[in-house]
Amino acid sequence: MATKAISAKKQQELQTTYSNYKNTLQQLAQKIGDVEQEAEEHKLVLDTLEPLPGDRKCFRMINGVLVERTVKDVIPALRTNAEGLKKVLDDLVKQYKIKQDDLEKWKKKNNIQVVQS
């Protein structure tokens, strides 16, 4: 009886750990998707603004406030933001791969086989 209780408790711990890994991976994947979408929006805006004359006015949202600027003022800020997003995206992808590798190592260590229904 005690052996079954211990194995049931161990099984519950393994299930909880597995769920935590999967939740973390899902959250990272969601963040990656969000950052990719934002980076794509920056690229689209840059592609639209670059052929325009530098003195043409454009509008930019800063902290929820729409401000009037010129194209030559906005393009450098957009490039900086796009580069920052690329770095964040690279870091998130690295974190995802590390976490995925950790999950695989944990599954091998504990001899876990996942059956999908």
Side-chain angles (χ1 to χ4, degrees):
M1 185 84 166
T3 319
K4 286 185 178 181
I6 292 171
S7 65
K9 186 175 182 181
K10 176 73 171 166
Q11 186 176 2
Q12 183 65 33
E13 289 174 6
L14 291 173
Q15 181 64 40
T16 302
T17 304
Y18 178 76
S19 295
N20 288 341
Y21 272 117
K22 293 305 274 186
N23 288 339
T24 302
L25 286 171
Q26 189 174 15
Q27 289 171 352
L28 282 171
Q30 179 66 41
K31 287 179 188 176
I32 288 170
D34 292 345
V35 172
E36 281 177 339
Q37 182 178 357
E38 196 166 333
E40 189 61 35
E41 289 173 5
H42 275 70
K43 182 183 178 302
L44 181 65
V45 172
L46 277 169
D47 290 347
T48 303
L49 291 180
E50 283 176 338
L52 299 177
D55 60 344
R56 182 171 173 171
K57 74 176 173 181
C58 65
F59 294 89
R60 179 171 182 222
M61 183 78 72
I62 301 176
N63 295 329
V65 178
L66 197 60
V67 294
E68 184 178 331
R69 297 279 189 252
T70 60
V71 170
K72 70 178 181 216
D73 294 333
V74 170
I75 287 179
L78 280 174
R79 283 192 182 128
T80 302
N81 288 351
E83 290 168 6
L85 286 171
K86 186 177 179 337
K87 289 177 185 174
V88 168
L89 184 60
D90 291 343
D91 289 344
L92 285 172
V93 169
K94 285 178 188 174
Q95 285 178 23
Y96 185 89
K97 288 179 180 176
I98 289 169
K99 195 53 116 169
Q100 200 170 31
D101 290 343
D102 289 348
L103 174 61
E104 292 303 317
K105 288 176 189 173
W106 176 82
K107 283 173 29 179
K108 283 185 180 182
K109 177 185 165 199
N110 290 294
N111 195 22
I112 304 292
Q113 292 181 350
V114 179
V115 178
Q116 304 267 342
S117 55

